[in-house]
């Protein structure tokens, strides 16, 4: 009986450790990839995305399975996603607005 508890305890500890080590790294690498995709999509390099650039950004992210991008592309919800992300309604999306949506 103690062997079973010991194994279960070790398994739980190993799982927790794996999650602590791998998941933040995965989130961090996904965030880095999304930032690289932002730069690729920002055709005029003004550090914000108009609708066409935003659509490119979503498609780059969807190609890599990042965040909600695959779902946005699958359902063609680019306009809705853009409007939700453009919090101040200025017609462009900044990195800060994208990061706020990712939270």
């Amino acid at each position: 009986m103690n062997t079973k508890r010991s194994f279960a305890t070790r398994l739980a500890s190993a799982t927790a450790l794996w999650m602590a080590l791998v998941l933040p790294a995965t989130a961090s690498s996904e965030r880095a990839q999304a930032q690289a995709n932002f730069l690729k999509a920002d055709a005029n390099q003004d550090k914000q995305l108009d609708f066409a650039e935003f659509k490119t950004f979503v498609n780059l992210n969807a190609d890599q399975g990042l965040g909600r991008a695959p779902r946005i592309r699958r359902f063609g919800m680019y306009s809705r996603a853009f409007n939700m992300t453009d919090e101040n309604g200025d017609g462009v999306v900044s990195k800060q607005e994208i990061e706020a949506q990712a939270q």
Side-chain angles (χ1 to χ4, degrees), residues 7-21:
F7 176 75
T9 301
R10 285 184 287 164
L11 180 61
S13 295
T15 302
L17 178 61
W18 177 82
M19 290 177 68
L21 294 174

Side-chain angles (χ1 to χ4, degrees), residues 7-49:
F7 176 75
T9 301
R10 285 184 287 164
L11 180 61
S13 295
T15 302
L17 178 61
W18 177 82
M19 290 177 68
L21 294 174
V22 174
L23 292 180
T26 301
S28 175
S29 64
E30 287 182 1
R31 186 173 295 117
Q33 187 59 56
Q35 289 173 349
N37 290 342
F38 183 96
L39 295 175
K40 286 180 191 175
D42 186 14
N44 61 3
Q45 299 179 350
D46 65 351
K47 298 184 180 166
Q48 46 193 3
L49 304 178

